Amino acid sequence: MNELFQVIKAVFSNKSVIAAAIGCAVIFEFISYISNYRKKPPKQKFKKVVASVPPASSENDGNSASENKDDE
């Protein structure tokens, strides 16, 4: 039993084992971040309201009378 603890202690104190464990933890955290990532909804752009001037009425134009003559 004493030999087993010595082997376990030697394995866990090895630099490459520690580096591999830290590397795996970082990779798993990164994968978790990617899988749970939610993109922020886009901000709504508000259009500026421009007051439009109504066009001049064409009832009083002299052109309307000439157009009526051409149609007959």
Side-chain angles (χ1 to χ4, degrees), residues 64 66-72:
S64 63
S66 64
E67 289 175 1
N68 288 338
K69 291 179 184 177
D70 292 337
D71 291 338
E72 293 176 1

Side-chain angles (χ1 to χ4, degrees), residues 21-45:
I22 292 173
C24 287
V26 169
I27 291 172
F28 289 145
E29 287 293 323
F30 184 67
I31 291 171
S32 175
Y33 173 76
I34 291 173
S35 64
N36 294 327
Y37 180 75
R38 298 285 183 251
K39 188 174 182 180
K40 293 181 183 179
K43 293 182 181 180
Q44 293 181 351
K45 297 180 180 178

